[in-house]
Amino acid sequence: MRKLVVLLCLLLKLTILVPMKGSAREVTYPNNDLLISLEETAQRLNEEHFIIVDTRSEGYTEGHIPGALPFDAAQLADKSPPVDGYLIRAEEFERLMNELEISNDDEIIVYDDGDDTAATRLFYALELYGHKKVRVLNGGLKAWKAQGKEVSTTPSEERKGSFKANMQANLEVEQDYVKASIDHPNKVLFDVRSKAEYMGEDVRAKRGGHIPSAVNLEWKKVLEDGEVPYFKEASVIDQMLEEAGVTREKQIIIYCQKAERASHMYFTLRLMGFEHLRMYEGSWEEWGNDPDTPMVNPSQQ
């Protein structure tokens, strides 16, 4: 009888942890607080310093989480040469956050549709510029709608913001640092583009391929397939990272094409408890357009 009770308890636990289609999921990650659930978000909508930011480029006026502030994450990209898409610097970021009416003591919840990179790009930018309280909504707006939660078309109320950037310079690395990290025994160059880009079959710069010694895992592999893009269970993500050669004891240098997908993987690794993280902001947009950088193109071998 006792064995039967234990077995039933285990089955109940698995039922809680494994989501049904469109349902909220209850999964624990090493840095679980970085990922906020639908339930907690819904319960805290009216808190003064609980600020929700809709980072989608379109769709806000058609429907958003009640009280959410509209912010097009495309504004984070510096369009000036020499590297297109490079993250804007501190002064400009401060200006945007103050226009958004955000303050340093706010707890910021960012979301997109759940299978995009906009929310995690803002997450990374906020961490880079020293904001300590920022979280991502698991599953994004697709999860919110799938649960039948309220969607609003009312603009957010005006409020006063006073954001001051505090640059965390150790998070960013430049091209020379990346060159010196090739084949380094204690560092991993982590390419989170598609396999076709990594192999040099899908070329989005003057040259295709990848940085020598870089390992590859496409950023979206950490998300569930299907209608609602929740993050996969921690054990599944851990296994994928380990198989790719991404381990916690090494410094991980993340890149993609323009650092947007890299920002999503930065968040994933933070969620999974990785501590030694660096972002190569120039990414393949800089590396692949520089004729003097070393590279590997498997498609031409």
Side-chain angles (χ1 to χ4, degrees):
M1 182 66 181
R2 184 176 178 182
K3 289 183 178 179
L4 179 60
V5 171
V6 171
L7 179 59
L8 288 172
C9 289
L10 287 172
L11 289 172
L12 178 60
K13 184 176 180 181
L14 286 172
T15 302
I16 293 172
L17 290 178
V18 179
M20 301 298 289
K21 184 177 181 180
S23 68
R25 66 179 303 169
E26 182 181 328
V27 180
T28 301
Y29 303 89
N31 278 337
N32 209 53
D33 285 347
L34 297 180
L35 194 65
I36 190 169
S37 68
L38 303 174
E39 289 70 24
E40 182 181 350
T41 303
Q43 290 168 5
R44 301 180 63 191
L45 288 179
N46 297 319
E47 291 185 16
E48 182 180 359
H49 290 288
F50 186 78
I51 308 302
I52 303 172
V53 181
D54 184 322
T55 64
R56 296 174 300 156
S57 59
E58 55 186 23
Y60 178 83
T61 56
E62 288 76 25
H64 54 267
I65 295 176
L69 303 174
F71 179 77
D72 184 353
Q75 296 176 84
L76 296 173
D78 187 345
K79 301 300 183 182
S80 61
V83 183
D84 182 35
Y86 206 95
L87 189 70
I88 55 175
R89 296 297 89 184
E91 183 177 352
E92 179 67 8
F93 186 75
E94 266 188 21
R95 183 187 68 78
L96 285 178
M97 292 302 100
N98 282 305
E99 284 184 358
L100 193 56
E101 301 167 341
I102 280 178
S103 300
N104 292 89
D105 59 349
D106 289 332
E107 180 179 354
I108 301 174
I109 310 304
V110 295
Y111 76 86
D112 48 35
D113 278 323
D115 50 4
D116 197 358
T117 61
T120 47
R121 187 61 165 156
L122 181 55
F123 175 94
Y124 170 70
L126 284 163
E127 288 215 330
L128 177 67
Y129 292 120
H131 196 78
K132 302 298 183 183
K133 295 181 287 186
V134 54
R135 306 167 73 184
V136 173
L137 178 64
N138 193 11
L141 191 62
K142 287 184 178 179
W144 186 267
K145 289 180 176 179
Q147 281 291 294
K149 297 191 180 299
E150 180 186 358
V151 175
S152 173
T153 56
T154 304
S156 59
E157 295 182 4
E158 291 188 7
R159 58 191 299 275
K160 186 176 180 180
S162 57
F163 185 89
K164 185 68 177 176
N166 179 22
M167 175 76 168
Q168 307 299 299
N170 64 313
L171 286 180
E172 281 191 341
V173 294
E174 300 294 336
Q175 188 184 90
D176 287 345
Y177 187 95
V178 177
K179 284 181 181 177
S181 301
I182 294 173
D183 289 320
H184 194 291
N186 297 318
K187 297 178 183 180
V188 176
L189 296 173
F190 192 10
D191 186 324
V192 302
R193 298 174 299 160
S194 69
K195 192 70 173 180
E197 290 171 86
Y198 176 81
M199 299 295 289
E201 298 162 356
D202 181 357
V203 181
R204 304 187 184 185
K206 290 181 180 178
R207 302 181 301 161
H210 59 265
I211 300 173
S213 79
V215 301
N216 174 244
L217 176 66
E218 189 172 4
W219 68 279
K220 63 184 180 182
K221 298 291 187 182
V222 304
L223 299 175
E224 294 281 5
D225 297 325
E227 180 184 343
V228 181
Y230 292 114
F231 278 81
K232 290 180 178 178
E233 293 186 26
S235 60
V236 175
I237 297 176
D238 242 345
Q239 183 177 350
M240 288 192 297
L241 291 170
E242 186 175 348
E243 289 175 354
V246 180
T247 54
R248 287 172 177 77
E249 71 275 9
K250 295 185 179 182
Q251 183 186 98
I252 313 300
I253 303 168
I254 317 164
Y255 76 92
C256 59
Q257 180 67 32
K258 294 186 179 181
E260 294 171 348
R261 291 172 284 177
S263 294
H264 193 283
M265 187 59 76
Y266 169 86
F267 172 78
T268 301
L269 294 176
R270 287 274 287 113
L271 181 67
M272 293 299 297
F274 284 70
E275 297 179 356
H276 311 298
L277 302 178
R278 300 291 186 273
M279 282 277 287
Y280 174 31
E281 188 65 36
S283 279
W284 196 254
E285 185 70 17
E286 178 180 55
W287 195 277
N289 285 312
D290 185 341
D292 297 324
T293 52
M295 55 161 286
V296 178
N297 188 337
S299 69
Q300 295 181 353
Q301 294 177 356

